[in-house]
Amino acid sequence: MVQYISRRLLIAIPMLLGAMSIVFFAMRVLPGDPCVAMMGDQATSEALADCTRNLGLNRPLAVQYADYLWRSIQFDFGNSFRQGYPVRDYIGRMFPHTFILVFASAIVAALVGIPIGIISALKRRSPLIDYPLRIIALLGLSMPVFWLGILLLIVFSLHFDLFPLIGGGDLDGVFAMIASGDFLMAVGDVLHHLVLPALALGFTLAATVSRLSRSAMLEVISQDYIRTARAKGQRERLVVYKHALRNMLVPLLTIIGIFVAIALTGTVLTETVFTRPGLGKMLVDAIGARDYPLAQGAITVFTMIIIVVNLAVDMLYAVVDPRISYR
């Protein structure tokens, strides 16, 4: 097990290095100048030259790249060009917002997608049940998260005025008021702002989960041990709960890493549509402002999260399926 983890970590190093290199050079290739973005088109050439020197952008590209890699190893992504604050601190403030959004959308996707996939697989010979469920999954795959988010805002925020249009709630206040009497009120405010973004992102993810759940269940129920259990006279519900559900977890685990990657990508659009704080919106704002350290820090954190989740999934294989061993 230790050797396997060590090998995976060694493989993760070039993956992380590749992602960091891509974002570093991509930011430099994009049109636009950070100093012009900060100071405007009316800035004099002397002021722009001073800004470039102060930001260290006058150094050779290879020197900037080496400095970026060295500081990133120490989890020091530098200071934001526009605001001047440490990127690491800003990521620390934005990460909880993105985490609860991904977690809430994962709950929505699991509660909607897994039952739909299982029922569709078990009722595959009943067109009146299977086809509508598959159509729901197809609708989820066909609707972009930004379109669904805008639709939810128009209906539930503008028309019925049930949920707020923008913001993510006072999440900092929740942490600060854990021991106070206003804790539940702060939590309620955060959840109130979370409902629509979680539904928008969760429903689009549920479509993928339902299709994968259906495929996994169809594969499991076609196995010999399922037919043997039915031949012994066990009730269908017991066969599904005791034998099929647990064994379908292994195929589902394989897509958790992809699921996290899709969810993190979806937060970029979701947080932008709902004007919600988080790493996704931070990345969009950083790219628009040509804030190199902020964009590089966000991409690095996204990549690290995906790598860690995939490693954790590999470790869970042995828990779910004892037949799996690591050498």
Side-chain angles (χ1 to χ4, degrees):
M1 176 72 77
V2 176
Q3 293 180 354
Y4 177 80
I5 295 176
S6 301
R7 289 199 302 268
R8 289 301 305 268
L9 290 176
L10 289 176
I11 296 174
I13 292 175
M15 293 173 56
L16 182 60
L17 180 62
M20 294 168 63
S21 301
I22 290 173
V23 68
F24 177 86
F25 291 107
M27 290 298 296
R28 269 72 178 175
V29 170
L30 288 176
D33 183 86
C35 292
V36 174
M38 288 189 295
M39 305 177 69
D41 296 332
Q42 305 302 320
T44 62
S45 55
E46 292 81 4
L48 291 175
D50 290 339
C51 174
T52 301
R53 185 171 55 256
N54 292 334
L55 296 179
L57 299 177
N58 60 331
R59 297 176 299 168
L61 192 62
V63 175
Q64 297 181 46
Y65 178 64
D67 180 63
Y68 161 61
L69 292 181
W70 174 249
R71 298 179 70 172
S72 297
I73 293 174
Q74 308 170 57
F75 293 95
D76 179 11
F77 304 109
N79 295 332
S80 169
F81 284 170
R82 180 174 291 270
Q83 304 296 338
Y85 44 67
V87 172
R88 180 171 55 188
D89 295 344
Y90 192 44
I91 290 176
R93 291 199 302 270
M94 293 296 104
F95 177 76
H97 290 277
T98 299
F99 175 78
I100 63 172
L101 175 58
V102 171
F103 183 75
S105 62
I107 293 176
V108 173
L111 292 178
V112 175
I114 293 178
I116 287 178
I118 293 175
I119 295 173
S120 178
L122 296 177
K123 302 296 183 181
R124 63 193 182 282
R125 295 187 177 90
S126 301
L128 293 179
I129 298 177
D130 185 28
Y131 288 176
L133 294 178
R134 295 173 69 178
I135 290 174
I136 292 174
L138 182 61
L139 287 175
L141 290 173
S142 305
M143 289 189 297
V145 63
F146 65 86
W147 183 86
L148 181 58
I150 293 173
L151 183 64
L152 292 176
L153 284 174
I154 293 174
V155 174
F156 295 103
S157 295
L158 292 177
H159 186 69
F160 292 109
D161 195 22
L162 296 176
F163 298 98
L165 272 171
I166 61 174
D170 189 12
L171 190 58
D172 294 332
V174 172
F175 296 137
M177 294 186 297
I178 289 179
S180 68
D182 296 330
F183 173 69
L184 293 179
M185 184 179 298
V187 171
D189 181 56
V190 171
L191 294 178
H192 193 213
H193 286 80
L194 182 64
V195 171
L196 292 186
L199 287 176
L201 182 57
F203 185 72
T204 55
L205 294 174
T208 302
V209 173
S210 67
R211 292 173 66 88
L212 292 170
S213 300
R214 185 179 188 275
S215 299
M217 179 58 75
L218 286 175
E219 180 181 355
V220 169
I221 61 178
S222 64
Q223 300 297 317
D224 292 337
Y225 61 85
I226 296 294
R227 288 194 290 268
T228 301
R230 288 170 174 164
K232 289 181 178 179
Q234 292 186 2
R235 290 178 299 175
E236 185 66 19
R237 180 177 299 181
L238 183 61
V239 171
V240 172
Y241 288 151
K242 185 176 180 180
H243 301 286
L245 285 181
R246 180 175 180 179
N247 287 283
M248 72 170 287
L249 289 179
V250 177
L252 284 181
L253 278 176
T254 60
I255 59 96
I256 288 182
I258 302 175
F259 178 88
V260 171
I262 296 174
L264 288 176
T265 305
T267 60
V268 176
L269 294 174
T270 306
E271 291 171 354
T272 302
V273 168
F274 289 93
T275 320
R276 177 184 174 83
L279 293 179
K281 188 174 186 303
M282 182 191 77
L283 176 61
V284 173
D285 295 340
I287 294 175
R290 301 299 183 269
D291 196 333
Y292 296 164
L294 206 56
Q296 292 165 178
I299 294 294
T300 302
V301 171
F302 278 152
T303 306
M304 292 175 63
I305 292 173
I306 294 173
I307 290 174
V308 170
V309 169
N310 277 279
L311 181 60
V313 168
D314 288 344
M315 299 300 101
L316 286 175
Y317 284 154
V319 176
V320 176
D321 190 349
R323 297 171 298 176
I324 298 176
S325 61
Y326 298 100
R327 297 177 180 177

